């Protein structure tokens, strides 16, 4: 009896041993075959238009905190070299328009891990003194970034300054140009409101909007008033088109960016050849401020400065009507040139 039990036990052990050896051999063979296989899907999140290998966006997100430290100006040359950081010329510029939402657009685009923004307006191309300092001076004003990130700066005065298109063309004839516009009359009033606030802070008096926007001698729209001239978008765009094809411009709806920012940002991502990374998670409406704020991650949120979203003074309705009638033919031409129509009155 004991002999039979021992024989049965040896048989079971033999079977289990055979199974274990077989499983081990299968795993070895499987690992060998996996090593030879190509991955079914390449690394996601690479970007670029020239077929070059790029840094995965996940890695760029991880390094954002590091970039923030370098922006403080405390990094040594050795730290910069070790982390492969560079100051590169912008691959896209927000050229205008003033009071169209340029700051909001820049901050929102900075949500994208492949975008690095210049924090301040550089005013290189519209300021003769700065421009005379040369392109290397301009480059040194750019933030540190990784080679495959896109640096973006914004200076709204670029759009209306005559010398700027040629100067930017000489730097980079294939650069991407972003223009953000609002309904022209609203933009002009917003422009006036910003100047008015500055005067009030200095205890200075200022004319009412109606007196500036309407010529008292002719009772017609005063085209010498800068706030009015800036809102004639087509006049300025035609000057840019002498140097750049319309395909290098993207028009952003500044009014929609306030009320429904995500679709506008997705259009910009596409224009810049960036993979879609900005989502509704990154944008949340702040009822107290009255506009959308930014969410970079679970810890870091950001709202625009309190100077944004100023309350406009009341303007005589007849003046508003006159301005809208004046801007109408220019708006129609702007729609025709850009291929984008807005619901402006």
């Amino acid at each position: 009896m004991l002999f039979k039990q021992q024989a049965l036990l040896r048989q079971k052990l033999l079977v289990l041993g055979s199974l274990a050896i077989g499983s081990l051999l299968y795993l070895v063979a499987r690992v060998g075959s996996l090593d030879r296989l190509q991955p079914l899907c390449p690394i996601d999140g690479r970007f670029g238009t020239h077929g070059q290998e790029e840094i995965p966006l996940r890695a760029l997100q991880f390094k954002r905190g590091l970039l923030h430290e370098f922006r403080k100006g405390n990094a040594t040359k050795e730290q910069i070299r070790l982390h492969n950081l560079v100051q590169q010329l912008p691959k896209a510029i927000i050229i205008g328009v003033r009071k169209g939402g340029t700051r909001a657009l820049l901050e929102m685009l900075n949500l994208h891990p492949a975008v690095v923004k210049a924090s301040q307006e550089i005013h290189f191309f519209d300021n003769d003194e700065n421009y005379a300092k040369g392109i290397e001076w301009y480059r040194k004003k750019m933030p540190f970034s990784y080679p495959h990130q896109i640096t973006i700066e914004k200076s709204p005065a670029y759009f209306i300054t005559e010398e700027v298109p040629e100067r930017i063309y000489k730097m980079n004839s294939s650069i991407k140009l972003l223009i953000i516009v609002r309904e022209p009359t609203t933009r002009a009033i917003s422009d006036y409101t910003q100047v008015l606030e500055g005067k009030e802070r200095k205890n200075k008096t200022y004319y009412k909007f109606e007196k500036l926007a309407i010529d008292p001698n002719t009772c017609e729209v005063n085209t010498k008033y800068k706030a009015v001239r800036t809102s004639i978008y087509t006049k300025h765009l035609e000057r840019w088109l002498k140097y750049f094809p319309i395909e290098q411009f993207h028009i952003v709806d500044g009014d929609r960016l306030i009320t429904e920012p995500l679709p506008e940002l997705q259009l910009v991502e596409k224009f810049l050849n960036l993979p879609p990374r900005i989502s509704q998670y990154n944008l949340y409406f702040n009822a107290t401020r009255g506009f959308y704020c930014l969410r970079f991650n679970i810890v870091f949120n950001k709202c625009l400065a309190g100077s944004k979203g100023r309350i406009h003074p009341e303007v005589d309705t007849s003046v508003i009507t006159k301005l809208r009638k004046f801007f109408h033919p220019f708006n129609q031409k702007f729609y025709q040139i850009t291929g984008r129509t807005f619901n402006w009155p």
Side-chain angles (χ1 to χ4, degrees), residues 160-171:
I160 64 170
T161 306
E162 290 188 12
E163 298 83 2
V164 171
E166 182 179 5
R167 289 174 175 180
I168 292 182
Y169 180 85
K170 287 179 178 178
M171 178 191 74

Side-chain angles (χ1 to χ4, degrees), residues 91-330:
K91 296 176 183 175
I93 300 178
I94 301 172
I95 59 174
V97 300
R98 171 181 163 92
K99 305 312 299 174
T102 56
R103 173 56 60 181
L105 177 60
L106 183 68
E107 296 292 344
M108 289 177 178
L109 287 178
N110 194 50
L111 288 164
H112 199 292
V115 171
V116 179
K117 68 177 177 69
S119 297
Q120 303 297 322
E121 294 179 8
I122 310 299
H123 290 286
F124 177 63
F125 297 102
D126 66 305
N127 183 299
D128 291 341
E129 185 178 341
N130 287 342
Y131 189 69
K133 294 174 183 177
I135 202 72
E136 281 307 307
W137 178 89
Y138 181 53
R139 188 196 301 273
K140 292 291 177 61
K141 292 293 182 180
M142 295 299 130
F144 285 103
S145 61
Y146 294 96
H148 301 296
Q149 287 180 304
I150 293 178
T151 297
I152 296 180
E153 76 124 322
K154 74 101 175 176
S155 294
Y158 289 168
F159 186 59
I160 64 170
T161 306
E162 290 188 12
E163 298 83 2
V164 171
E166 182 179 5
R167 289 174 175 180
I168 292 182
Y169 180 85
K170 287 179 178 178
M171 178 191 74
N172 182 358
S173 61
S174 61
I175 197 166
K176 292 180 180 290
L177 302 165
L178 293 162
I179 304 171
I180 180 167
V181 294
R182 296 183 66 193
E183 191 276 313
T185 302
T186 302
R187 195 223 62 81
I189 296 172
S190 181
D191 197 328
Y192 166 83
T193 304
Q194 177 170 293
V195 176
L196 175 65
E197 185 180 276
K199 298 284 186 182
E200 289 176 342
R201 281 200 304 267
K202 298 175 182 177
N203 293 320
K204 293 182 178 181
T205 57
Y206 197 48
Y207 294 111
K208 292 188 68 174
F209 176 79
E210 292 87 341
K211 190 169 184 178
L212 294 168
I214 303 299
D215 188 322
N217 297 319
T218 63
C219 291
E220 297 299 327
V221 173
N222 179 16
T223 55
K224 294 181 180 179
Y225 178 38
K226 187 176 180 180
V228 168
R229 275 202 325 275
T230 300
S231 285
I232 308 175
Y233 304 138
T234 186
K235 289 290 186 182
H236 305 294
L237 182 58
E238 285 173 343
R239 185 171 58 251
W240 283 85
L241 290 173
K242 294 176 182 177
Y243 295 91
F244 300 95
I246 193 64
E247 292 78 19
Q248 282 178 233
F249 297 87
H250 178 73
I251 311 300
V252 178
D253 186 340
D255 295 308
R256 192 183 184 202
L257 192 74
I258 296 170
T259 60
E260 197 179 1
L262 185 58
E264 286 300 314
L265 294 173
Q266 289 171 334
L267 289 173
V268 178
E269 284 180 323
K270 186 176 180 181
F271 173 69
L272 296 177
N273 296 317
L274 294 171
R277 287 297 182 272
I278 302 174
S279 69
Q280 197 61 58
Y281 169 81
N282 301 118
L283 303 159
Y284 67 95
F285 187 76
N286 186 312
T288 304
R289 302 293 297 277
F291 49 78
Y292 280 86
C293 293
L294 316 179
R295 181 186 290 116
F296 288 85
N297 52 48
I298 197 170
V299 176
F300 181 45
N301 297 343
K302 180 177 183 178
C303 284
L304 297 178
S307 60
K308 304 301 178 183
R310 295 181 181 90
I311 298 174
H312 293 179
E314 288 190 17
V315 177
D316 189 292
T317 54
S318 65
V319 172
I320 291 176
T321 300
K322 186 181 287 286
L323 283 168
R324 287 176 172 170
K325 185 177 180 181
F326 168 79
F327 286 126
H328 182 74
F330 297 111

Side-chain angles (χ1 to χ4, degrees), residues 44-93:
D44 186 29
R46 299 185 182 278
F47 56 93
T49 58
H50 303 294
Q52 300 174 340
E53 288 215 347
E54 312 290 354
I55 300 173
L57 291 182
R58 187 175 298 175
L60 293 178
Q61 288 171 320
F62 176 78
K63 293 173 180 175
R64 270 194 172 237
L66 182 63
L67 279 175
H68 178 70
E69 293 301 316
F70 283 120
R71 289 191 193 111
K72 293 179 181 179
N74 298 326
T76 65
K77 289 183 178 180
E78 182 64 15
Q79 286 175 316
I80 292 168
R81 185 187 66 79
L82 288 174
H83 290 286
N84 197 32
L85 291 169
V86 291
Q87 286 174 292
Q88 53 186 334
L89 293 172
K91 296 176 183 175
I93 300 178

